[in-house]
């Protein structure tokens, strides 16, 4: 059988688009493993970038090893100890020519492995050094036995470590990537960014960049590579950011080509609404309302995100938009992520719209049976304003003439979910306008990139007369003092939130933690009424407790983070957040926004579990220093990266391979320029870029 040179470029199919199975040595089983991580075509392998690197090009003497170093060491086994105290473990002491000892420690090992590691045996070891009680150790290092006097074969390049999947070891994946790279064409074929644009922004060769990141030379700067700051990585990060930008813009363009009803009424309802409001709009509210009014007055869909800190008055902006739709004879749907929050909107809207003679429909889980059917009938017949949770809006609700969808507190949603909501109320080519409200401000650089499919307006001014929340951080060791302080506050007639945080645990564990805290506080504050609300309670029970708190019947409300969004009890002026170090800054800021809504001075106590690491300390400092959600978001981005800020870890949006928005934000202006030109003048290349970077991953995500 002559398979010396298998064809890797089928007639007319570019090498990059050839299936991986065309590579020598890639059989069906391997192809299947590769497909599991989205690697189906040769170009998917080119762009399957290493997560990090190992330096096996040299041997580090044990005496220069520092804790935290990942290094290769050569040594002779001095002593072996098998222990079983808590669990089996194997400790192997090795030493080298520097006459220092390093301990290798294994918790999982085979009998044969243990038998092989005898005093006198020479080993080549790679691992991470760390402190141990008696010097340095490596836990579960990789190692190979070598002959005593042989010079071990050292790598001549840094070793890439690839993202992989079970059953597909590093050697094998590196092997196939290597075979794919052997087919990497020249830049004339590979490059999709037009030469003039590449030159203008100083982009280096893509081919060189790929070859470098897959096989960095021995003298490459490992530190720089680890941080992703090498010029080759930056070149690829540029292309990845560009691709993401293009795909969002393309999405946006597709939606913008659709039609929407122009919602420009005579302004009468809006004027009457403003006249009856007990306050004047802030400058920021007026400006943002102007943006929205201009958008919805057009015949193409509005896609606008309004971001504004907690308490900045987004609801009034939403109401104005809603009234514009009603004036024009269209329906409006307002959706919130939780029933609690949706109900609050319902109350606000009823309070504001009833005097204008506008009924507000209510669709939530608790509305069932006949009441629900009647509400559905009225919505189908054209009821002007409908408030509810998302879930209900998505199932079986038919509108008559839906012109505007308003979605509150949408930051946990990804692009896909936004699209689904947008398609609700679609009739043929016609889609409703969409307004998204979020209280999680997004730094400008991120907004331009992550929300390139939306226009963004910011309400960057709070209504007058607010007193900023005083924030302090106190160690849990002083819990007793904090409880005394709460007691004093309650006796003065103030109301207090006590927030229990347990993340990444089940709702059940969260509820338990809150129950424990509730018992503790009830006992300590026997002359105050202490309530409890958590996510495992029925909506009705939750509402009863919230109502009691709002009515002042409860002094203290022990709650899980269910109260994070939107709940409004102006008399609550003290908040204690337990284990605050577990939450992100944006979430802490959200929670804190529950107090400081009235005119009395409010405080927030961040109760932390000592000891705090450096990062945790810095984060708490930010919370103490500022009440400005935009600054907090910038800081969160800097300290924790965009996934956390956008809350997209769950939705998988923005899972970059090499780009990092906080590190690479400086590339965005050029990315936007190149993106714009490519979309208008080189749409085919733009398409090919999306296919290259996102195509495989998208198939993988849907698998
Ligand atoms: P958020 O942006 O957090 O949704 P809200 O819309 O709930 O904020 O507004 C917070 C509070 O501020 C509400 O009680 C609201 O009535 C009030 N409010 C809104 N705009 C103004 C304003 N321009 N002047 C005074 N109070 C305002
Ligand atoms: Mg709100």
């Amino acid at each position: 059988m002559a398979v010396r040179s298998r064809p890797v470029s089928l007639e007319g199919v570019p090498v990059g688009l050839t299936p991986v199975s065309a590579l020598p040595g890639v059989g069906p089983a391997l192809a299947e493993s590769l497909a599991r991580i989205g690697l189906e075509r040769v170009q998917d392998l080119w762009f399957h970038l290493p997560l990090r690197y190992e330096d096996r090009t040299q041997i580090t003497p044990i005496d220069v090893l520092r804790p935290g170093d990942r290094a290769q060491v050569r040594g002779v086994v001095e002593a072996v100890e098998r222990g079983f105290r808590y669990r089996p473990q194997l400790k192997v002491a090795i030493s080298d020519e520097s006459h220092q000892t390093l301990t290798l420690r294994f918790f999982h090992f085979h009998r044969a492995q243990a038998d092989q590691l005898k005093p006198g045996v020479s080993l080549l070891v790679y691992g991470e050094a760390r402190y141990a009680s008696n010097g340095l150790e490596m836990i579960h290092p990789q190692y190979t036995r070598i002959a005593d006097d042989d010079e071990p074969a050292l790598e001549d390049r840094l070793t890439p470590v690839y993202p992989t999947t079970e059953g597909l070891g590093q050697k094998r994946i590196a092997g196939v990537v290597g075979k794919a790279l052997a087919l990497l064409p020249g830049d004339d074929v590979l490059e999709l960014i037009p030469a003039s644009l590449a030159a203008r922004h100083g982009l280096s060769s893509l081919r060189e960049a790929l070859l470098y990141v897959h096989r960095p030379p021995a003298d490459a700067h490992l530190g720089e590579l680890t941080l992703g700051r090498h010029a080759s990585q930056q070149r690829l990060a540029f292309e990845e950011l560009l691709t993401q930008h293009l795909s969002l813009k393309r999405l946006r363009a597709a939606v913008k080509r659709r039609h929407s009803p122009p919602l420009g009424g005579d302004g009468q309802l809006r004027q009457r609404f403003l006249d009856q409001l007990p306050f004047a709009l802030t400058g920021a509210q007026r400006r943002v309302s102007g943006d929205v009014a201009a958008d919805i007055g057009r015949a193409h869909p509005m896609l606008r995100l309004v971001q504004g800190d907690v308490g900045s008055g987004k609801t009034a902006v939403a109401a104005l938009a809603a009234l514009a739709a009603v004036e024009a004879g269209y329906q409006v749907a307002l959706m919130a992520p939780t029933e609690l929050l949706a109900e609050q909107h319902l109350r606000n809207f009823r309070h504001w719209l009833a005097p204008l003679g506008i009924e507000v429909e209510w669709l939530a889980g608790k509305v069932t049976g006949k009441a629900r059917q009647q509400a559905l009938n009225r919505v189908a017949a054209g009821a002007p304003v409908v408030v509810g949770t998302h879930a209900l809006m998505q199932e079986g609700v038919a509108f008559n003439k839906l012109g505007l969808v308003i979605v509150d507190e949408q930051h946990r949603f990804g692009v896909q979910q936004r699209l689904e909501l947008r398609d609700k109320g679609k009739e043929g080519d016609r889609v409703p306008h969409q307004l998204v409200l979020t209280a999680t401000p997004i730094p400008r650089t991120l907004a331009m990139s992550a929300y390139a499919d939306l226009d963004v307006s910011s309400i960057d001014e709070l209504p007058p007369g607010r007193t900023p929340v005083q924030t302090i951080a106190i160690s849990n060791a002083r819990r007793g003092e904090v409880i005394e302080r709460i007691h004093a506050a309650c006796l003065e007639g103030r109301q207090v939130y006590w927030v229990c945080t347990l993340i990444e645990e089940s709702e059940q564990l969260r509820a338990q933690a809150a129950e424990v805290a509730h018992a503790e506080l009830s006992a300590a504050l026997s002359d105050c009424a202490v309530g409890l609300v958590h996510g495992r309670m029925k909506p009705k029970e939750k509402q009863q407790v919230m109502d009691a708190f709002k009515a002042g019947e409860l002094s203290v409300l022990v709650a899980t983070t269910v109260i994070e969004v939107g709940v409004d009890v102006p008399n609550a002026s003290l908040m204690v957040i337990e284990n605050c170090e577990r939450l992100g800054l944006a979430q802490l800021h959200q929670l804190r926004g529950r107090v400081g809504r009235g005119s009395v001075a409010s405080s927030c106590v961040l109760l932390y579990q000592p000891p705090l690491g450096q990062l945790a300390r810095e984060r708490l400092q930010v919370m103490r220093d500022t009440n400005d959600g935009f600054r907090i978001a910038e800081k969160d981005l800097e300290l924790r990266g965009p996934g956390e800020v956008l809350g997209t870890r769950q939705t998988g949006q923005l899972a970059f391979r090499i780009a990092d928005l906080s590190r690479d934000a400086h590339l965005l202006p050029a990315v936007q320029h190149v993106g714009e030109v490519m979309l208008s003048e080189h749409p085919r290349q733009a398409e090919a870029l999306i296919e290259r970077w996102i195509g495989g991953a998208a198939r993988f995500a849907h698998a």
Side-chain angles (χ1 to χ4, degrees):
M1 242 182 5
V3 281
R4 278 203 351 258
S5 64
R6 281 205 236 174
V8 289
S9 168
L10 303 174
E11 198 67 27
V13 177
V15 176
L17 300 180
T18 315
V20 290
S21 55
L23 293 170
V26 180
L30 181 52
E32 199 179 301
S33 297
L34 292 169
R36 272 211 303 276
I37 46 174
L39 305 175
E40 299 184 340
R41 301 156 310 176
V42 169
Q43 74 173 13
D44 298 338
L45 291 166
W46 297 339
F47 287 87
H48 190 61
L49 305 176
L51 292 168
R52 58 188 172 83
Y53 300 92
E54 294 174 352
D55 184 358
R56 297 159 186 267
T57 65
Q58 52 182 329
I59 287 176
T60 305
I62 294 175
D63 67 342
V64 306
L65 269 189
R66 294 281 162 269
D69 287 354
R70 301 179 142 272
Q72 179 162 260
V73 171
R74 178 191 182 166
V76 177
V77 175
E78 296 281 324
V80 180
E81 189 188 314
R82 290 179 72 165
F84 291 96
R85 201 181 314 183
Y86 301 108
R87 47 180 175 166
Q89 64 166 297
L90 179 66
K91 281 161 79 173
V92 179
I94 63 168
S95 70
D96 68 359
E97 282 158 7
S98 71
H99 301 294
Q100 288 291 316
T101 307
L102 172 72
T103 306
L104 315 181
R105 200 204 285 249
F106 302 88
F107 297 108
H108 312 280
F109 52 94
H110 302 297
R111 174 87 176 270
Q113 196 180 357
D115 292 346
Q116 200 189 42
L117 295 168
K118 289 205 175 69
V121 167
S122 286
L123 298 177
L124 188 61
V125 177
Y126 183 92
E128 181 176 350
R130 37 173 278 168
Y131 267 125
S133 50
N134 54 346
L136 288 179
E137 66 173 16
M138 285 183 179
I139 292 182
H140 278 272
Q142 303 165 27
Y143 69 91
T144 46
R145 264 184 80 163
I146 50 173
D148 296 342
D149 36 9
D150 264 9
E151 267 314 304
L154 298 179
E155 302 285 341
D156 55 0
R157 294 178 176 279
L158 298 186
T159 309
V161 178
Y162 290 102
T164 187
T165 175
E166 196 162 333
L168 187 58
Q170 285 298 329
K171 282 219 170 77
R172 278 186 95 201
I173 197 162
V176 247
V177 170
K179 284 173 191 164
L181 286 174
L183 302 173
L184 196 63
D187 276 317
D188 51 331
V189 174
L190 194 62
E191 186 60 82
L192 293 171
I193 301 173
S196 59
L197 287 170
R200 171 154 171 198
H201 292 286
L203 299 182
S204 53
S205 153
L206 177 59
R207 182 184 151 85
E208 295 301 315
L210 280 173
L211 290 175
Y212 193 96
V213 301
H214 283 290
R215 310 165 164 171
D219 63 355
H221 195 307
L222 186 58
E224 196 176 53
L225 280 172
T226 303
L227 294 173
R229 293 189 195 279
H230 187 271
S232 303
Q233 292 167 308
Q234 290 285 293
R235 170 65 182 78
L236 293 169
F238 182 94
E239 190 161 314
E240 187 172 32
L241 289 170
L242 173 63
T243 304
Q244 196 233 7
H245 186 78
L246 289 171
S247 76
L248 287 176
K249 285 286 182 204
R250 184 180 63 165
L251 200 65
R252 176 193 162 81
V255 176
K256 283 280 185 191
R257 274 195 298 275
R258 314 265 270 288
H259 294 277
S260 296
L263 304 177
D266 56 11
Q268 277 199 28
L269 281 175
R270 279 172 283 179
Q271 193 52 54
R272 282 169 58 202
F273 165 71
L274 291 173
D275 290 345
Q276 62 151 41
L277 263 188
F279 48 75
L281 295 186
T282 62
Q285 282 171 316
R286 277 201 307 268
R287 175 172 46 74
V288 171
S289 293
D291 292 346
V292 172
D295 280 358
I296 60 180
R298 298 196 185 100
H300 295 283
M302 165 173 76
L303 303 168
R304 188 169 288 278
L305 178 75
V306 168
Q307 53 176 359
D309 224 331
V310 277
S312 61
K314 292 181 291 295
T315 321
V317 171
L320 275 173
L323 288 172
V326 176
E327 280 171 17
Y330 281 86
Q331 290 176 289
V332 184
L334 170 61
M335 289 175 265
T338 63
E339 290 219 351
L340 220 60
L341 194 54
E343 275 202 348
Q344 202 160 281
H345 279 306
L346 177 73
R347 274 196 294 272
N348 270 326
F349 270 52
R350 284 200 168 143
H351 179 69
W352 283 337
L353 304 191
L356 308 179
I358 300 171
E359 294 270 338
V360 180
E361 290 300 332
W362 173 231
L363 278 175
K366 64 176 72 161
V367 184
T368 53
K370 206 167 149 199
R372 176 175 164 83
Q373 195 50 53
Q374 285 170 345
L376 286 174
N377 291 346
R378 286 192 296 267
V379 172
V385 182
V386 187
V387 175
T389 53
H390 313 131
L392 285 148
M393 293 305 206
Q394 281 157 313
E395 271 172 41
V397 183
F399 290 86
N400 181 27
K401 269 177 98 179
L402 184 61
L404 172 65
V405 174
I406 304 174
V407 186
D408 192 14
E409 313 280 2
Q410 177 78 316
H411 62 283
R412 292 185 192 82
F413 274 31
V415 169
Q416 196 54 43
Q417 285 145 308
R418 283 208 296 271
L419 282 179
E420 282 165 15
L421 289 170
R422 194 174 293 165
D423 282 344
K424 184 82 205 171
K426 179 178 154 199
E427 286 167 48
D429 183 32
R430 242 170 141 80
V431 293
H433 294 282
Q434 189 169 350
L435 179 63
V436 178
L437 309 176
T438 175
T440 307
I442 297 146
R444 221 178 92 75
T445 44
L446 263 187
M448 286 193 298
S449 184
Y451 291 108
D453 63 326
L454 294 173
D455 297 304
V456 178
S457 298
S458 301
I459 308 184
D460 49 8
E461 178 187 353
L462 290 183
R466 300 273 163 87
T467 30
V469 180
Q470 189 77 31
T471 301
I472 50 174
I474 297 182
S475 159
N476 195 40
R478 293 168 56 199
R479 191 180 178 91
E481 290 169 44
V482 173
I483 293 177
E484 274 174 31
R485 191 171 152 169
I486 289 182
H487 197 187
C490 292
L491 296 181
E492 286 169 24
R494 294 169 66 184
Q495 285 180 286
V496 184
Y497 289 106
W498 181 285
V499 185
C500 300
T501 61
L502 254 194
I503 50 164
E504 285 166 338
E505 310 278 351
S506 67
E507 194 66 51
Q508 186 178 357
L509 288 174
R510 272 196 290 267
Q512 266 173 19
E515 273 157 12
V516 169
H518 179 248
E520 178 193 0
L521 290 171
S522 302
L525 311 171
S526 52
D527 52 351
C528 304
V530 183
L532 171 66
V533 61
H534 60 66
R536 295 261 289 179
M537 288 162 60
K538 296 206 175 72
K540 197 166 158 197
E541 296 168 348
K542 260 191 282 190
Q543 192 59 49
Q544 277 168 355
V545 177
M546 289 308 303
D547 288 346
F549 189 58
K550 206 163 179 171
E553 292 155 21
L554 295 171
S555 297
V556 181
L557 182 65
V558 177
T560 56
T561 49
V562 293
I563 58 151
E564 179 190 346
V565 273
V567 175
D568 197 12
V569 181
N571 189 49
S573 60
L574 178 58
M575 171 174 281
V576 180
I577 304 177
E578 274 199 86
N579 299 114
C580 61
E581 70 280 0
R582 290 179 180 162
L583 298 186
L585 292 185
Q587 209 182 355
L588 283 174
H589 182 62
Q590 278 281 332
L591 281 168
R592 181 172 63 180
R594 299 306 111 220
V595 291
R597 298 173 84 84
S599 48
V600 293
S602 299
S603 17
C604 176
V605 176
L606 301 174
L607 209 52
Y608 64 83
Q609 202 61 52
L612 280 185
Q614 175 62 28
L615 183 64
R617 251 199 301 272
E618 260 184 70
R619 296 175 55 225
L620 294 188
Q621 188 61 42
V622 176
M623 293 303 295
R624 280 148 62 186
D625 287 350
T626 183
N627 272 292
D628 178 342
F630 286 89
R631 271 199 55 204
I632 288 173
E634 294 280 356
K635 206 67 197 175
D636 218 8
L637 174 63
E638 198 181 302
L639 295 176
R640 295 199 311 164
E644 302 281 352
V645 175
L646 294 168
T648 44
R649 271 202 320 191
Q650 299 87 336
T651 60
Q653 190 195 359
L654 290 187
F656 289 114
R657 294 182 210 182
I658 194 161
D660 173 336
L661 279 173
S662 43
R663 180 192 65 211
D664 304 330
H666 64 282
L667 299 173
L668 291 173
V671 162
Q672 277 152 31
H673 174 251
V674 173
E676 223 165 273
V677 178
M678 283 186 73
L679 275 178
S680 63
E681 292 167 29
H682 307 275
R684 285 235 314 279
Q685 276 102 315
E687 220 37 64
L689 261 183
I690 293 172
E691 179 62 20
R692 170 188 281 174
W693 283 88
I694 299 179
R699 284 196 305 276
F700 165 46
H702 291 140

